[in-house]
Amino acid sequence: MGKSSIHRKYDGVCFAVTGAAGFLGSNLCNYLLEQGAWVLALDNFLTGQHRNIQDIKSRYPHQFFFADENIIEGIQQWDFFIAKNKLPHPKFLFHLASPASPVDFERLWRETSLANTLGLLKCFDWAEKFDTRVVFASTSEVYGNPAAHPQMEDHLGEVNFHGPRGCYDEAKRLGEALVYQMVNKGAIHGVVRIFNTYGPGMRLTDGRVISSFFQQVYQNNRIVVHGDGHQTRSFCYSRDMVRALLAYAYSGEQSPINLGSVEEVSVLQLAELIAQRFGNWSTTIEFAQRRKDDPQRRRPDLSRARDLLDWTPTTTLIEGLDLTAKYFYDGLKTETARVLHAQPN
């Protein structure tokens, strides 16, 4: 369907996205490009996947401008892209660049800490040239393992900064503090607190609970639950989260707002659902030691998101899992075929 035959909300608008080859970043880029926007993208593939942007590059060669750069070292190529292609000044910069999985924090603790602090400052410096609004992707992890439930934005958090998640949790908290200081000086930036999100584009080995369960079902026909499984989570599908990010960006709000789902399930219920729906009669559920600092309950209060952004998620957990399962299954088939093709006859 041609450009003239469909209404596209973001036609002619330029956006910037760090972490563009990551799970959420690639979903945001793809959505914006479908809507006719120009996108300046950046990633150094520390945890992002080439697979996530290969199709985007081929489908949108005149809308998608990608820089293979480390945000910690600053943004070098975007100015060139703007000048060469006569792009309008970017309206928003979404700073999504950061390792975001517990399996990455130990080996990438330095990069995790710096991406959310020094990298954020680099975003501020670049955005100032174009009067661009920076939206910083913070996290529900700023709440730690709180007694308050559901979590509201005014809760100050109960975080163990000496724990295995400390480099991520505290870097996000400092990032929020930096946004607060910039806003006090008249900047137009803002913060979103993203709760558990899933969907196509995730790494199968990223250690998050949904991707881990799918990996275990497909490769080992079993699921391993850490702890007793009574800890709860609420999972938001990626397309809903993308809509939320854009709603926040355009709202002009500057204080943190929770984004996520209120469909709360226990980890054990999730394991049973994935086993029944995507496993077979012999799929087993096993238990392992609970991970340190694993939150017992996690669900956002979405009152501010509903009132200020007019946003709530619309994709059910079942619907989202079906779409995610296909992505993982197709990826495993492709990888298996690649390995078999590479083997000598």
Side-chain angles (χ1 to χ4, degrees), residues 8 10-11 13-17 25-39 60 63 94 239 242 246 250:
R8 297 198 289 190
Y10 304 111
D11 259 347
V13 182
C14 186
F15 297 81
V17 180
S26 60
N27 276 277
L28 175 60
C29 290
N30 194 61
Y31 182 85
L32 289 169
L33 292 163
E34 288 174 353
Q35 298 282 330
W38 286 296
V39 175
Y60 303 102
Q63 293 172 242
F94 293 92
R239 196 78 164 185
V242 164
L246 290 166
Y250 274 94

Side-chain angles (χ1 to χ4, degrees), residues 223-270:
I223 291 177
V224 178
V225 173
H226 289 267
D228 61 11
H230 293 158
Q231 64 269 38
T232 67
R233 299 291 184 269
S234 54
F235 299 99
C236 183
Y237 186 63
S238 52
R239 196 78 164 185
D240 287 331
M241 185 58 67
V242 164
R243 291 191 300 105
L245 291 174
L246 290 166
Y248 181 86
Y250 274 94
S251 73
E253 289 294 325
Q254 297 186 282
S255 57
I257 291 184
N258 290 335
L259 301 178
S261 170
V262 295
E263 188 180 354
E264 186 176 5
V265 297
S266 73
V267 172
L268 181 56
Q269 287 173 323
L270 176 69

Side-chain angles (χ1 to χ4, degrees), residues 261-295:
S261 170
V262 295
E263 188 180 354
E264 186 176 5
V265 297
S266 73
V267 172
L268 181 56
Q269 287 173 323
L270 176 69
E272 291 170 343
L273 175 61
I274 290 178
Q276 293 166 6
R277 196 169 184 86
F278 307 105
N280 57 44
W281 64 269
S282 63
T283 302
T284 61
I285 296 176
E286 303 173 10
F287 294 87
Q289 184 177 0
R290 182 180 176 183
R291 291 192 173 104
K292 184 176 174 59
D293 296 332
D294 190 32

Side-chain angles (χ1 to χ4, degrees), residues 120-136:
L120 178 59
L121 292 174
K122 298 290 187 182
C123 290
F124 291 154
D125 291 342
W126 187 84
E128 187 175 4
K129 296 183 294 185
F130 303 105
D131 197 28
T132 299
R133 170 166 154 87
V134 176
V135 176
F136 174 55

Side-chain angles (χ1 to χ4, degrees), residues 13 21 46 85 88 99 118 123 140 170 179 203 227 231 241 273 277 282 285 296 308 320 328:
V13 182
L46 186 66
N85 297 282
L118 179 58
C123 290
S140 61
E170 292 301 320
V179 173
R203 286 160 42 218
Q231 64 269 38
M241 185 58 67
L273 175 61
R277 196 169 184 86
S282 63
I285 296 176
Q296 186 61 29
L308 300 176
F328 281 143

